[in-house]
Amino acid sequence: MSEELHLTIRYSDAGDGWVSAQVAEIPGAISEGKTREEARANVLDALDVLLTPDEKLAGESGDEDSESLTLTVAP
């Protein structure tokens, strides 16, 4: 079974030559870059941090009854 999660990255002028990128469906997934490509890469990094469970960041093992999901981002 294949499932897809579709997210939207919104870009805007952040001033002083910077580009802002925000994942519309995920509050807090926002970043900036000097180019659109850099802003995209940075907001994907922010999304990864937001979606990483705290216990993984802390190096702790998760619940025994858990499932890992992988979100693949297309270019």
Side-chain angles (χ1 to χ4, degrees), residues 13-72:
D13 181 356
D16 293 329
W18 287 82
V19 177
S20 176
Q22 180 174 7
V23 179
E25 298 82 359
I26 310 292
I30 186 167
S31 195
E32 294 180 333
K34 285 298 251 179
T35 65
R36 183 181 172 109
E37 294 78 19
E38 185 178 284
R40 181 183 190 276
N42 290 343
V43 80
L44 292 177
D45 285 343
L47 180 61
D48 183 46
V49 170
L50 285 169
L51 296 179
T52 300
D54 288 342
E55 59 270 7
K56 184 174 179 184
L57 290 173
E60 301 169 10
S61 62
D63 188 314
E64 291 299 320
D65 187 16
S66 64
E67 177 182 358
S68 176
L69 299 175
T70 301
L71 171 64
T72 303

